[in-house]
Amino acid sequence: MSIADPSGTPLTVDADETARLRRKQLEKFGKWILPVLVLLLMLVAWDRTVVWNEIPHYILPGPGLVFDTLIKDWALLFEALLVTLQITLMALAVAVIGGVGLAVLFTQSRLVEMSFYPYAVILQVTPIVAIAPLIFIYVDSRIAGLLLCAWLVAFFPVLSNTTLGLNSADHNLRDLFRIYGASRWQTLRFLQLPSALPYFLGGLRIAGGLSLIGAVVAEYVAGTGGLKSGLAFRILEAGYRLNIPRMFAALILIAVTGVVIFAGLSFLSHMLLRKWHESALKRDH
């Protein structure tokens, strides 16, 4: 294939390069358009299923009724969303502080890691729905109980990923730091922490979603109402009243919140890694 440049000299364009550019444009187009098309098809299928089978709204509301309910009950649902979001973000912040702090302790002392790591694993593998009732028996503050439940779910990914990252620092560079007499703090600050950053950010993305799940599960277990009720309680309340459209509307808000948290943490990871780490560097091929 050949094209002419402004001077009139024909330029030869490689067929493989043309195909690569076309494929790149299609991928860029499909990355955003295809999920939207799938969503629209699912909404149409949902709506037609309800209409053609004449399903009553207290069994399965159509997407239009759910959207109307979301608008009508927005004030109530938004207030509940703020409560759930508050618990989620607080739990994530505490999980980051505790997970990174404990991971640093693990890498500085093998005895500390051997003593406490098995208990972190036990907390991770024990279902939160089994622990939460005990927490609400012994913790008087409802907010503290919700926060503790959400933290238990979000804590382990940060701890395990950060520990893995700190231990993955290049051993040749460690020897070099040792030869030049670097202190533990200098080795941690200039070698181990930068090496652990991609692992930490990977754990943070997982913990963001898990903290939301932990907050919702804790609200289900707490099961108390009042002014400071989250989305999970609104779902329970709507279920008792057979207000199925409100249940779907609250569920949509939870799902959108999870997507926003994941997208925000992915953007943060991209901004921190885009200039130097292989996982975020853009290649032309």
Side-chain angles (χ1 to χ4, degrees), residues 45-56 59-60:
W46 177 5
D47 182 68
R48 290 301 90 191
T49 301
V50 171
V51 172
W52 289 339
N53 294 285
E54 298 181 347
I55 302 175
I59 295 179
L60 179 62

Side-chain angles (χ1 to χ4, degrees), residues 255-265:
V256 170
T257 302
V259 171
V260 170
I261 290 174
F262 182 81
L265 295 176

Side-chain angles (χ1 to χ4, degrees), residues 107 159-170 174 191-200:
T107 56
L159 171 65
S160 61
N161 280 37
T162 308
T163 303
L164 177 63
L166 291 171
N167 290 329
S168 299
D170 192 297
R174 285 191 182 190
L191 176 62
Q192 289 180 289
L193 287 178
S195 301
L197 183 60
Y199 296 87
F200 162 73

Side-chain angles (χ1 to χ4, degrees), residues 132-149:
L134 288 174
I135 290 175
F136 286 104
I137 288 175
Y138 297 115
V139 178
D140 291 334
S141 170
R142 179 174 172 272
I143 294 296
L146 295 173
L147 182 60
L148 186 55
C149 290

Side-chain angles (χ1 to χ4, degrees), residues 14-26:
D14 185 73
D16 292 339
E17 179 67 11
T18 304
R20 187 189 67 80
L21 291 175
R22 187 179 296 116
R23 188 167 58 250
K24 189 176 179 181
Q25 288 178 343
L26 286 175

Side-chain angles (χ1 to χ4, degrees), residues 180-230:
Y180 280 96
S183 64
R184 279 192 168 192
W185 166 245
Q186 289 173 322
T187 305
L188 176 68
R189 179 182 175 187
F190 296 110
L191 176 62
Q192 289 180 289
L193 287 178
S195 301
L197 183 60
Y199 296 87
F200 162 73
L201 292 170
L204 186 64
R205 285 201 297 270
I206 300 171
L210 289 180
S211 60
L212 177 62
I213 294 173
V216 171
V217 170
E219 287 176 3
Y220 270 118
V221 175
T224 54
L227 294 176
K228 294 294 183 181
S229 300

Side-chain angles (χ1 to χ4, degrees), residues 32-111:
W32 299 102
I33 298 300
L34 289 179
V36 174
L37 287 177
V38 171
L39 176 62
L40 291 176
L41 288 174
M42 290 173 62
L43 289 176
V44 170
W46 177 5
D47 182 68
R48 290 301 90 191
T49 301
V50 171
V51 172
W52 289 339
N53 294 285
E54 298 181 347
I55 302 175
H57 66 83
Y58 53 84
I59 295 179
L60 179 62
L65 180 57
V66 172
F67 182 74
D68 290 342
T69 305
L70 184 61
I71 300 298
K72 185 180 66 178
D73 296 342
W74 176 251
L76 181 69
L77 293 174
F78 183 69
E79 183 182 3
L81 171 64
L82 291 181
V83 175
T84 301
L85 197 57
Q86 179 188 16
I87 298 297
T88 300
L89 296 181
M90 288 173 63
L92 184 60
V94 177
V96 168
I97 295 172
V100 173
L102 196 55
V104 170
L105 280 179
F106 284 175
T107 56
Q108 298 302 307
S109 172
R110 182 68 178 155
L111 288 177

